[in-house]
Amino acid sequence: MSNNSERDHSDSEEDEDDLSNEILDLEAFNQLLSMDDDTDEDYEFSREIVQSYLEQAKSTFADMDQALSAKDLSKLSSLGHFLKGSSATIGVKKVQECCKHIQFLGKLHNMDGQGSVDEDEALKLIAKELKVGKEEYEKANEFLGFFYETDFTDQEAKEPSN
């Protein structure tokens, strides 16, 4: 029986590793963690960077929604580029990928940056990518909250308003 429980525990760790690999670029995330002080078991420095990223991403997605409503492809491309870079820094790879597609589509290129699309097609594809990007953001937010043992959504609500 102890063999079975050891296997179950090992399977659970493998599932967690698979989940983190699916959501995060572990190399990028580990680089972020390496900036924390060796004596800081709470990862305070990287936690603050992650919290800032999550707040910034949420705000950028709202800006993207407005730009999409206004059919402002140039703004969508710019916002896609911006959030793509931030996501890469943290290692949130699926948000990064969606934002790369939005960046290209905003310039009327195909999602791979090659060829071209018309404005209507670009807007339809951007709407789909934006939806996926937000879903992936939520997964990353949940996973990072679990990693840091923090509810980042709750912390955002506690921010003082200006």
Side-chain angles (χ1 to χ4, degrees):
M1 204 174 256
S2 80
N3 246 355
N4 207 12
S5 66
E6 286 174 23
R7 189 174 334 118
D8 290 344
H9 180 68
S10 174
D11 288 347
S12 174
E13 285 179 4
E14 286 176 22
D15 290 346
E16 241 176 67
D17 288 345
D18 288 346
L19 180 62
S20 63
N21 269 329
E22 182 181 315
I23 295 172
L24 295 178
D25 172 346
L26 294 180
E27 186 175 326
F29 189 64
N30 284 330
Q31 285 180 336
L32 176 64
L33 293 177
S34 73
M35 292 186 222
D36 285 307
D37 186 350
D38 289 341
T39 61
D40 184 8
E41 293 178 9
D42 292 330
Y43 302 105
E44 187 174 335
F45 180 75
S46 65
R47 178 195 315 258
E48 288 176 12
I49 291 174
V50 166
Q51 182 175 352
S52 292
Y53 162 76
L54 292 169
E55 291 168 1
Q56 177 187 76
K58 186 175 183 178
S59 172
T60 303
F61 280 130
D63 292 343
M64 286 177 163
D65 284 334
Q66 290 176 347
L68 183 61
S69 293
K71 299 183 180 184
D72 188 341
L73 290 168
S74 176
K75 180 88 171 172
L76 285 161
S77 180
S78 176
L79 290 167
H81 175 75
F82 173 74
L83 189 52
K84 176 186 78 173
S86 300
S87 299
T89 299
I90 303 298
V92 183
K93 61 187 180 182
K94 289 192 177 180
V95 172
Q96 175 188 355
E97 186 73 13
C98 289
C99 288
K100 180 175 83 172
H101 295 161
I102 291 169
Q103 178 186 1
F104 287 144
L105 289 164
K107 293 180 178 182
L108 297 178
H109 296 295
N110 287 320
M111 289 195 294
D112 63 2
Q114 305 297 313
S116 62
V117 294
D118 67 33
E119 185 175 329
D120 288 338
E121 183 67 11
L123 289 167
K124 283 183 210 170
L125 292 170
I126 287 171
K128 289 179 184 176
E129 288 296 309
L130 189 52
K131 181 178 187 280
V132 171
K134 289 177 186 178
E135 290 167 357
E136 294 300 328
Y137 162 83
E138 290 301 330
K139 290 177 189 175
N141 189 350
E142 184 178 332
F143 180 82
L144 291 164
F146 175 77
F147 177 84
Y148 286 104
E149 298 178 352
T150 298
D151 182 354
F152 288 112
T153 306
D154 188 43
Q155 289 187 4
E156 288 174 27
K158 291 180 185 175
E159 289 291 316
S161 57
N162 292 340

